[in-house]
Amino acid sequence: MLETKVTEISGVGPALVEKLAELNIYTVEDLLFTFPSRYDNHEVSPLSTLVHEQKATIVGTVANQAVVTFYGRKKSKLTVPIRVENVIVKGIMFNRAFAKKHLQEGETVTLTGKWDQYRQQLTVEHYHLGEKTEEDSIQPIYLIRQVFKSSQFKKIIKQALAQYSDQINEILPMAYLKTYKLFSRAFAVHQMHFPTDFEHLKQAKRRIVYEEILLFQLKMQALRKYHRERTIGTAHHFDKDKIAYFIRRLPFKLTEAQHKVLTEIHDDMVSPYRMHRLLQGDVGSGKTAVAAIALYSAVLSGKQGAIMVPTEILAEQHHHSLAAMFNQLARVELLTGSIKGKKRKDRLAALHNGDINIIVGTHALIQDEVNFKQLGLVVVDEQHRFGVNQRKVLREKGVAPDVLFMTATPIPRTLAITSYGDMDVSTIDQMPIGRKPIETFWVKDSMMPRLISFIEKEVAKGHQGYVITPLIEESDKLDIQNAVDLYQQLDMTFAGKLKVDLLHGRLSNDEKDQVMKSFARNETQLLVATTVVEVGVNVPNATVMMIYDAERFGLSQLHQLRGRVGRGDAQSYCILIADPKGEIGKERMRIMTETTNGFELAEHDLKLRGPGDFFGSKQSGLPSFKVADLVQDYRALETARKDAQLIINDDKLEQDPSYAGLKKFIDQVLDRHIQGFD
Ligand code: ADP
Ligand code: MG
């Protein structure tokens, strides 16, 4: 059994057990699935293929005695002429004078090191007398920190493989091994540690990556299926004509994309299954309108709806726009932390007795005192801003209400597959027609005087603008403009011409509110702010978004910020003030000026930053794969996802013995889920 403790491996005594534990290796399985993090190539290359400054391995014969020169204190340099393909090149070794005696004239030797094309010499890292076998030419490198010597670790693995290879049972169905021409599990594991050659290694990795991704997908889809089929939700019944009437009343025509996602949401709502769906769409793509129609559907079926948003500003905005849309058709109320006293009590009572049809609120909605008469649909906006638990609490306020999550942070397809695997996903992939794309410019600080007059011109046309800075307090270490300073500076610059205000995270909620309200009423024209305005703020009259030190933001965040303008009919502008030092920073600024498509940006962001950083550290939610790489193994991900879908719905899963491994895996996943582990 692979679950056997490492103590059973012969030669592994208490001292080694302790060392293995430092690497989180307790069982034979842990050990065998600790794969090398990379492989060094010591394959011999012909001289003509060597590249300057790159690592290479050559084989030749010693043409002449090595010469050793000493310098400094105890430092030495050994130079040995080697005949390779009838050409003489030099091998250089530092501080290894003792090697001289091995390197006898006429001796065959294999050298690995960095090649200098101009001097025709190799600075040797490893040498080996005689020719290497192909197996020696691939050097697995394990991430074993300082715990083991590499040779010692390899010895333990070799022993474990000798004892337990035949117990590495196949987990993938035969049919898949055949279709994809995959190595068996046992053979692949063996090859990962001791590859015969690079082709075998490639195939072994392919097999392990597929298994890793398929199991992950199966887990996600098993959970999703469980939610759909074994949790009884609410089957909504509503009059389609009334929905059509509601849609006709809207001041715009729904886009095709909005219609499409609405159908998907309605199908879920009508079914007795519990909806667990993510609605993703770029900033301004019209998610709120879709949510409103879904909420109305719940109301028509005699239930209540709730929409939870991350900030008070956003709650008020949503309340405002929903109240307008529902004028006369439903009672829409607001519940936030700042609603207190009698007003709060009344509101809670009206929610409990069902007088309120739709409630818009912040975290205030998930407090114990909040009770519904019959909650049928929960919408969670900017869902990534909430913790898993917060989302769960609201969901539990009703008898299995349907849940619709919304996000305007476009997720690259690769990541959507992995991080939202347990949700159904609807995507609004089209913007309302007639929107003018925001014009984006990337400028340097020195342009400031021109930017000042540009802002004045926009304000003269009756428009407003934002100026964003990354941090709110001065910091010596980080050479950044801070909001307070900037505010004072701009306030002086524009004195008498326009009013400037300041918004940052250290203000109290009341203060923030005041600032936002006067900006919304155009009492102030320029708002200096930190990223608190990033989410959802809607002031259609604002046409300028100026971002200081733009290189400090991720692409997705810049895109969110940019989405604060371009919300009305007028042409809007985004100005990135940045002087990035590195190529990546420059590339990001260029991309921002070239596209306004959030999904495209997200793909770029992922490529530039890598999956780990994509979401920031706070809520990565990403699976950590041992071998698979979300970006590189994208195709495998898509394939595995389709396969997982087939497998999860296939009768063979229950009956066919070749599916037993996967069935066992899925059962374990569900057990853990039901017991509340994941
Ligand atoms: P999101 O929440 O996706 O960022 P909103 O729902 O706030 O976007 O919509 C942005 C703006 O576009 C709102 O002012 C809304 O009234 C408007 N809008 C929504 N759908 C359409 C449409 N189909 N055609 C024109 N305007 C629309
Ligand atoms: Mg929105």
Side-chain angles (χ1 to χ4, degrees):
M1 282 224 317
L2 294 185
E3 288 91 41
T4 310
K5 294 265 181 297
V6 285
T7 41
E8 300 299 310
I9 303 170
S10 52
V12 175
L16 286 187
V17 170
E18 215 166 282
K19 282 179 154 195
L20 287 168
E22 276 184 62
L23 299 172
N24 288 322
I25 296 171
Y26 302 98
T27 65
V28 172
E29 182 165 16
D30 296 339
L31 179 69
L32 292 182
F33 283 78
T34 299
F35 297 126
S37 61
R38 63 187 170 88
Y39 300 81
D40 276 353
N41 186 353
H42 291 190
E43 223 170 5
V44 173
S45 317
L47 277 186
S48 61
T49 62
L50 303 191
V51 179
H52 183 59
E53 290 276 283
Q54 290 202 352
K55 223 179 193 183
T57 299
I58 55 175
V59 63
T61 52
V62 177
N64 240 317
Q65 272 281 313
V67 176
V68 179
T69 51
F70 289 90
Y71 62 101
R73 271 172 59 92
K74 292 189 191 163
K75 287 188 181 152
S76 73
K77 178 179 170 186
L78 178 154
T79 308
V80 60
I82 308 279
R83 183 182 301 276
V84 183
E85 304 163 28
N86 274 325
V87 177
I88 304 280
V89 301
K90 276 184 287 182
I92 307 289
M93 295 186 206
F94 289 100
N95 307 324
R96 277 194 280 181
F98 57 84
K100 182 176 173 177
K101 62 174 181 286
H102 299 305
L103 301 167
Q104 297 296 331
E105 198 177 324
E107 189 83 55
T108 300
V109 61
T110 308
L111 308 171
T112 300
K114 199 191 262 180
W115 177 244
D116 185 325
Q117 177 72 20
Y118 305 107
R119 297 191 171 126
Q120 294 279 297
Q121 69 183 31
L122 195 79
T123 304
V124 177
E125 288 167 22
H126 307 278
Y127 72 97
H128 176 91
L129 294 180
E131 287 190 47
K132 281 202 167 182
T133 61
E134 197 164 16
E135 210 163 325
D136 289 332
S137 69
I138 308 176
Q139 285 301 318
I141 310 292
Y142 292 89
L143 270 188
I144 42 180
R145 304 192 295 259
Q146 305 297 326
V147 182
F148 287 99
K149 270 173 114 173
S150 159
S151 57
Q152 190 183 23
F153 191 71
K154 282 177 197 165
K155 213 174 124 197
I156 303 173
I157 293 205
K158 195 161 215 156
Q159 181 57 36
L161 278 171
Q163 278 173 255
Y164 295 96
S165 260
D166 57 347
Q167 293 179 41
I168 304 177
N169 294 327
E170 186 50 69
I171 186 171
L172 300 178
M174 264 323 275
Y176 284 82
L177 293 184
K178 272 197 185 138
T179 312
Y180 297 134
K181 301 196 168 60
L182 297 176
F183 283 173
S184 75
R185 195 167 200 237
F187 189 61
V189 169
H190 196 284
Q191 285 293 321
M192 288 296 284
H193 294 292
F194 301 103
T196 312
D197 53 37
F198 277 99
E199 183 54 30
H200 276 76
L201 177 59
K202 189 170 139 201
Q203 295 303 331
K205 270 193 186 161
R206 194 166 67 86
R207 144 83 210 209
I208 300 288
V209 164
Y210 178 75
E211 169 179 328
E212 204 169 29
I213 297 178
L214 182 76
L215 293 186
F216 176 75
Q217 287 296 332
L218 275 175
K219 173 178 167 179
M220 287 312 208
Q221 297 197 21
L223 293 176
R224 183 155 121 193
K225 190 170 178 201
Y226 173 82
H227 279 295
R228 284 186 79 84
E229 295 183 359
R230 287 191 242 169
T231 58
I232 303 301
T234 312
H236 293 271
H237 304 281
F238 46 83
D239 185 345
K240 285 244 161 78
D241 291 341
K242 288 193 171 149
I243 301 284
Y245 170 69
F246 184 86
I247 293 175
R248 273 203 308 278
R249 270 173 42 132
L250 293 172
F252 43 75
K253 223 172 138 261
L254 290 188
T255 60
E256 250 173 67
Q258 282 170 314
H259 273 296
K260 180 195 70 190
V261 300
L262 190 60
T263 308
E264 290 164 0
I265 292 166
H266 270 160
D267 285 349
D268 278 357
M269 288 183 73
V270 168
S271 88
Y273 301 144
R274 186 168 187 179
M275 175 160 76
H276 191 64
R277 183 172 287 277
L278 177 76
L279 175 59
Q280 61 168 348
D282 214 338
V283 199
S285 61
K287 293 182 296 296
T288 314
V290 172
I293 300 165
L295 287 165
Y296 188 49
S297 316
V299 172
L300 286 176
S301 98
K303 313 280 195 311
Q304 290 165 297
I307 172 163
M308 183 161 82
V309 301
T311 65
E312 298 217 351
I313 294 174
L314 207 50
E316 285 176 24
Q317 252 174 44
H318 271 18
H319 172 246
H320 184 78
S321 53
L322 289 175
M325 279 191 244
F326 281 103
N327 175 29
Q328 308 288 326
L329 294 178
R331 181 171 164 197
V332 184
E333 295 284 4
L334 182 68
L335 190 71
T336 63
S338 10
I339 292 167
K340 298 195 173 94
K342 180 166 177 346
K343 210 166 159 193
R344 182 179 196 85
K345 251 175 114 181
D346 290 349
R347 213 154 276 182
L348 288 173
L351 198 57
H352 200 180
N353 69 25
D355 285 351
I356 293 176
N357 304 113
I358 295 168
I359 190 90
V360 185
T362 53
H363 305 85
L365 285 180
I366 53 178
Q367 268 138 30
D368 280 346
E369 53 173 359
V370 181
N371 292 297
F372 292 84
K373 183 169 185 220
Q374 209 180 5
L375 180 59
L377 173 67
V378 173
V379 178
V380 182
D381 198 8
E382 302 299 341
Q383 62 98 21
H384 60 281
R385 299 256 158 173
F386 294 98
V388 175
N389 270 332
Q390 291 172 320
R391 290 181 244 163
K392 214 159 114 191
V393 173
L394 185 56
R395 219 156 60 196
E396 281 162 6
K397 293 245 171 225
V399 183
D402 284 332
V403 190
L404 181 66
F405 300 100
M406 302 204 293
T407 182
T409 305
I411 305 291
R413 269 200 313 164
T414 16
L415 296 194
I417 290 173
T418 44
S419 48
Y420 297 138
D422 64 336
M423 297 187 208
D424 297 297
V425 180
S426 293
T427 305
I428 305 185
D429 52 8
Q430 176 186 32
M431 296 298 260
I433 29 176
R435 286 272 167 83
K436 294 191 184 76
I438 300 162
E439 283 184 32
T440 303
F441 303 98
W442 165 28
V443 303
K444 303 255 165 80
D445 230 344
S446 53
M447 292 273 288
M448 212 50 212
R450 282 179 64 185
L451 296 178
I452 299 280
S453 68
F454 176 72
I455 290 175
E456 282 174 5
K457 260 196 234 147
E458 280 298 303
V459 171
K461 288 188 216 160
H463 298 312
Q464 294 164 273
Y466 301 91
V467 180
I468 307 295
T469 83
L471 282 190
I472 78 148
E473 273 173 352
E474 193 155 16
S475 148
D476 292 328
K477 275 194 209 132
L478 302 169
D479 168 33
I480 49 168
Q481 203 91 18
N482 72 71
V484 182
D485 263 9
L486 187 63
Y487 160 70
Q488 285 166 349
Q489 202 182 313
L490 291 174
D491 194 39
M492 242 158 40
T493 310
F494 290 117
K497 291 180 180 151
L498 56 98
K499 286 193 79 173
V500 187
D501 209 347
L502 174 64
L503 182 75
H504 60 66
R506 299 275 169 88
L507 296 180
S508 73
N509 284 340
D510 282 352
E511 289 169 321
K512 272 189 227 161
D513 253 31
Q514 263 337 100
V515 173
M516 267 330 286
K517 275 182 188 143
S518 36
F519 188 65
R521 291 191 206 111
N522 199 1
E523 291 161 3
T524 49
Q525 288 76 44
L526 196 62
L527 189 60
V528 177
T530 57
T531 51
V532 287
V533 295
E534 180 193 340
V535 186
V537 168
N538 186 28
V539 179
N541 193 43
T543 56
V544 182
M545 169 58 68
M546 200 160 101
I547 305 172
Y548 262 87
D549 295 318
E551 74 269 22
R552 292 183 187 276
F553 297 98
L555 279 178
S556 295
Q557 206 177 6
L558 288 175
H559 181 63
Q560 282 294 311
L561 288 166
R562 179 166 61 183
R564 298 309 107 215
V565 296
R567 304 177 79 82
D569 301 328
Q571 176 63 53
S572 289
Y573 307 90
C574 176
I575 298 155
L576 307 168
I577 304 174
D579 193 4
K581 298 285 171 282
E583 260 321 299
I584 290 185
K586 288 180 183 148
E587 177 70 13
R588 291 194 357 224
M589 294 305 120
R590 267 196 295 273
I591 293 167
M592 278 299 291
T593 61
E594 280 162 14
T595 179
T596 52
N597 179 318
F599 287 94
E600 232 174 82
L601 280 168
E603 295 282 356
H604 281 296
D605 211 9
L606 176 63
K607 284 204 193 95
L608 292 177
R609 290 206 282 168
D613 289 338
F614 183 77
F615 290 101
S617 53
K618 208 166 41 182
Q619 49 99 40
S620 95
L622 287 176
S624 54
F625 292 124
K626 280 186 173 158
V627 185
D629 175 308
L630 283 177
V631 178
Q632 277 182 30
D633 296 317
Y634 171 66
R635 293 263 298 280
L637 260 168
E638 293 226 302
T639 309
R641 185 175 60 128
K642 287 191 199 115
D643 292 343
Q645 241 157 23
L646 285 176
I647 292 169
I648 211 101
N649 294 310
D650 194 337
D651 292 338
K652 289 202 190 102
L653 189 57
E654 299 294 331
Q655 295 150 11
D656 190 330
S658 129
Y659 283 68
L662 294 184
K663 167 129 178 55
K664 187 170 148 208
F665 171 79
I666 292 169
D667 287 346
Q668 277 168 356
V669 163
L670 290 177
D671 277 352
R672 282 179 64 82
H673 181 68
I674 292 161
Q675 288 167 30
F677 285 116
D678 317 282

